[in-house]
């Protein structure tokens, strides 16, 4: 099966759910509506033999503005990976359904996406931060993130402005 | 409990009050058997483990944010430091992703050197995993012998790139420095020395009755668990599926070499147990020696790096590259927006998924079996936390 | 298990243990006859090969202040300040004959930040910045790790 076959099959089965495809080189991806992502991935797993989930990641597009969640399910029978993108509004309540009941791999990947971007996953069994400490403020991988100066009394940056050696490099 | 400890423990531990006949044991971040800074919160009923929950994040350096603020060339040293015990394979994965974004072709000489060096690095990483697994089981000799041979590989890499552990050798478009005939001779001498050693290691550790009794039928991962947890690499092959990215989704010049893919057979216990994964790693070292022997005599002449220019500016697009690293399938998902710095670099690390299965694997086993399971997963915390 | 199975297990255990001990005895004998594998540091030091990436050194007489090393450094540990030369001053040349157009005022490297990646030495056009084989330079105060190459005293 090729990428085109999968896109055609999905567009036929979910006419409202599939919003089109992004023709980026070298890997194209399929745009999915946030309300339909759970059914689309269930269809991929049950009917099209996509046995495993490789990656769930987040991307921040402040220009659009949108937060994007990218899913990469993989198939061992067809030896391929397909890329699905879900665009969410860039607010405090960016929500999408969790796919932990379909693939257990999504459990930790979604926790990391929440930790880094602040995207909420509904019905996630263990919705808390994974890499940053539990009481960290802010979402580090957003483009407008500013590192805090102090965390629980400990200084965070390597040098503060007044004591740094001046003009490191040319940045 | 005082106020400080209350703020540090997560809320779920206080949701149900602790039963008085269960012990909450903290295998803390500093522990000789956890292969790094890993914290495992273990609830035991006597000697039997009820729940083993891994807590990670102690080595989190936010490599993905650093990569967004650096040029494409300057991300290479950061990528080395992900899985610091198999550094050449990491940088090869990143270089492959950027080269597919740029659309350039790597010269033949560079491809040959890359594959030889990747396989040597795979041998070094498996020797390290064999040594530390023996150390966890109590066999100190295995550690010493494994490291003695790993030092020879590290000497070859030091002559080649100048550093012993973090090489920054696989650059975008080829390699950093060229390989000399002296180094080729040193690799050939090493292969002649190393081939009989694998049988010796098997006789010393793998078929030893104590080791077999400690690792058979422990930590059984069957194929269904592999698929739902997204496990790749040695976990899949130990469970019986003959899947290797170098054969099923080949990259570089792996199409032109001939090698087997070893799988676990359940010889000593159940299919997919710790012993199966260990013996698959030992057999993979034999196959790596076979690949290097086929390539070492026929390195073609030519440049060792394609002409890419000082500033790398790929056109806008996305690329996902997959390579077979010693610990599993390493993936790099790079989004470029046409400027000199990447827009998003996401690293799919195999150890991240391997350690997430720990709770399911260790229900109802004894505490010593928990150590055997963690050792057979072969994790490196630099890759788990990035 | 039956008694024969138990005896089989005892036989397995004894055989494999003695096989393993035979291997260690062979290595022990070889080391006794050929000598130690371990190098006794600090009495003897290993010889590092050519091209080892140790401490950085910059020969500032050859530097043309192009700032390529500072731009490519992943951790921004190189601090360079250079001014435009006045038209009336004498022309200066590097050892290779390249004319210097800028006046180097400050060249410092914070080696506690350096990650020894080798990128700066590979982009230097006059090859004045290079890696030495030095690896023993610990200090008691972190500020002493900011190496000032303009005022370097041998």
């Amino acid at each position: 099966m090729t990428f085109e076959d999968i896109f055609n099959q999905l567009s036929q089965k979910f006419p409202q759910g599939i919003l089109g495809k992004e023709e980026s080189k070298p890997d194209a991806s399929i745009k999915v509506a946030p309300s339909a992502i759970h059914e689309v991935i269930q269809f991929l797993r049950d009917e099209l033999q996509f046995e495993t989930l490789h990656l769930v990641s987040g991307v921040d597009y402040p220009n659009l503005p949108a937060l994007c969640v990218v899913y990469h399910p993989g198939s061992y029978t067809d030896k391929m990976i397909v890329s699905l993108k879900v665009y969410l509004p860039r607010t405090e309540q960016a929500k999408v359904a969790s796919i932990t009941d379909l693939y257990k791999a999504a459990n930790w990947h979604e926790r990391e996406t929440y930790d880094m971007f602040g995207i909420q996953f509904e019905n996630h069994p263990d919705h808390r931060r994974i890499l940053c400490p539990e009481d960290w403020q802010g979402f580090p991988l957003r483009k407008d993130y500013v590192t805090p100066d102090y965390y629980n009394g400990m200084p965070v940056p390597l040098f503060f402005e007044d004591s740094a050696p001046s003009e490191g490099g040319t940045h | 409990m005082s106020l400080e400890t209350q703020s540090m423990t997560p809320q779920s531990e206080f949701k149900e009050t602790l039963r008085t006949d269960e012990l909450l044991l903290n295998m803390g971040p500093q522990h000789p058997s956890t292969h790094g800074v890993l914290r495992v919160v273990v609830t035991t009923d006597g000697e039997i483990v009820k729940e083993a929950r891994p807590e990670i994040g102690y080595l989190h350096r936010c490599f993905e944010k650093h990569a967004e603020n650096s040029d494409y060339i300057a991300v290479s040293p950061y990528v080395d430091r992900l899985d610091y015990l198999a550094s050449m394979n990491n940088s090869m994965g990143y270089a492959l992703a950027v080269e597919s974004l740029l659309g350039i072709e790597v010269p033949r000489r560079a491809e040959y050197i890359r594959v030889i060096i990747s396989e040597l690095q795979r041998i070094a990483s498996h020797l390290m995993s064999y040594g530390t697994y023996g150390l966890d089981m109590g066999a100190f000799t295995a550690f010493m012998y494994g490291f003695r041979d790993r030092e020879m590989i590290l000497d070859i890499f030091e002559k080649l790139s100048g550093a012993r552990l973090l090489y920054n050798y696989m650059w975008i478009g080829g390699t950093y420095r060229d390989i000399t005939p002296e180094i080729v001779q040193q690799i050939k001498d090493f292969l002649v020395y190393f081939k009989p050693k694998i049988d010796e290691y098997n006789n010393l550790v793998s078929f030893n009755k104590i080791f077999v009794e400690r690792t058979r039928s422990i930590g059984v991962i069957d194929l269904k668990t592999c698929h739902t947890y997204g496990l790749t690499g040695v976990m899949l092959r130990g469970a019986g599926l003959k899947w290797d990215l170098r054969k099923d989704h080949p990259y570089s010049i792996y199409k032109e070499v001939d090698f087997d893919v070893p799988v676990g057979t359940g010889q000593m216990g159940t299919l997919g147990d710790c012993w199966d994964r260990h013996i698959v790693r030992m057999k993979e070292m034999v196959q790596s020696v076979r690949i290097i022997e086929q390539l070492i005599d026929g390195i073609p002449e030519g440049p060792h790096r394609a002409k890419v220019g000082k500033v790398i500016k790929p056109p806008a697009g996305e690329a996902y590259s997959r390579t077979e690293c010693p610990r599993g399938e390493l993936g790099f998902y790079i989004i470029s927006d046409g400027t000199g710095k990447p827009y998003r670099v996401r690293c799919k690390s195999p150890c991240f998924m391997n350690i997430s299965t720990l709770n399911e694997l260790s229900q109802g086993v004894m505490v010593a079996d928990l150590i055997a399971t963690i050792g057979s997963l072969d994790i490196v915390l630099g890759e788990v936390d990035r | 298990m039956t008694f024969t199975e138990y005896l089989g297990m005892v036989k397995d255990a004894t055989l494999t243990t003695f096989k393993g001990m035979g291997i260690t005895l062979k290595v022990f004998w070889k080391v006794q006859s050929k000598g130690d594998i371990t190098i006794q540091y600090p009495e003897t030091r290993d010889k590092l090969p050519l091209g080892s990436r140790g401490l950085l050194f910059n020969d500032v007489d050859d530097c043309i202040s192009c700032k390529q090393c500072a731009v490519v450094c992943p951790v921004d540990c190189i601090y360079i300040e250079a001014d435009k030369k006045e038209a009336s001053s004498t022309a200066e040349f590097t050892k290779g004959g390249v004319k210097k157009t800028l006046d180097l005022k400050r060249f410092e490297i914070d080696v506690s930040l350096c990650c020894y990646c080798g990128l700066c030495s590979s982009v230097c056009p006059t090859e004045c910045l290079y890696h030495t084989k030095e690896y023993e330079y610990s200090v008691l105060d972190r500020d002493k790790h900011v190496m000032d190459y303009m005022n370097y005293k041998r």
Side-chain angles (χ1 to χ4, degrees), chain B residues 99-116:
Chain B
E99 281 154 17
S100 75
L101 269 179
L102 281 172
I104 59 174
E105 210 181 290
V106 180
R108 290 275 297 174
R109 188 178 171 89
E111 300 267 39
Y112 268 71
I113 299 176
R114 274 183 174 182
V115 171
I116 292 173

Side-chain angles (χ1 to χ4, degrees), chain C residues 20-38:
Chain C
M21 288 179 110
I23 295 172
T24 43
L25 212 60
K26 254 197 298 188
V27 174
F28 178 71
W29 226 246
K30 198 166 75 163
V31 167
Q32 290 294 88
S33 58
K34 276 206 199 156
D36 279 341
I37 301 177
T38 316

Side-chain angles (χ1 to χ4, degrees), chain B residues 325-367:
Chain B
C325 284
R327 288 176 171 80
E329 174 192 316
L330 182 71
F332 274 101
Y333 176 54
I334 303 190
I335 302 182
S336 138
D337 58 349
T339 61
K341 302 189 183 187
Y343 190 77
R344 175 84 168 105
V345 175
R346 171 82 163 113
C347 161
K348 182 249 177 196
S349 69
C351 297
F352 189 65
M353 299 330 298
N354 288 357
I355 195 67
S356 68
T357 62
L358 190 63
N359 197 8
E360 202 171 297
L361 288 182
S362 46
Q363 303 281 336
V365 297
M366 298 206 240
V367 178

Side-chain angles (χ1 to χ4, degrees), chain B residues 47-78:
Chain B
E47 185 76 13
I48 311 284
V49 169
K50 281 250 161 88
E51 190 197 0
R53 210 178 53 218
E55 304 274 339
I56 60 174
Y58 288 90
L59 198 51
H60 179 60
R61 298 151 292 178
C62 214
F63 141 78
E64 297 173 359
K65 188 83 178 177
H66 278 298
E68 287 176 16
N69 294 334
S70 312
D71 304 332
Y72 279 92
I73 299 185
V75 175
S76 260
Y78 285 109

Side-chain angles (χ1 to χ4, degrees), chain A residues 27 58 60 85 105 112 142, chain B residues 65 318 320 343-344 386:
Chain A
D27 293 336
D60 186 21
K85 282 189 157 187
E112 185 180 341
R142 289 199 182 191
Chain B
K65 188 83 178 177
E318 305 175 359
Y320 188 98
Y343 190 77
R344 175 84 168 105
R386 273 157 284 133

Side-chain angles (χ1 to χ4, degrees), chain A residues 44-90:
Chain A
L44 279 175
R45 185 188 72 156
D46 296 331
E47 311 290 329
L48 297 183
Q49 283 110 39
F50 273 78
E51 299 101 344
T52 185
L53 180 70
H54 281 291
L55 194 60
V56 178
S57 38
V59 191
D60 186 21
Y61 291 107
N63 305 332
L64 286 177
L67 278 171
C68 180
V69 185
V70 188
Y71 297 86
H72 281 100
S75 163
Y76 289 115
T77 40
D78 292 320
K79 302 184 183 177
M80 61 180 300
I81 287 190
V82 79
S83 160
L84 304 167
K85 282 189 157 187
V86 173
Y87 284 93
L88 303 167
R90 199 169 185 271

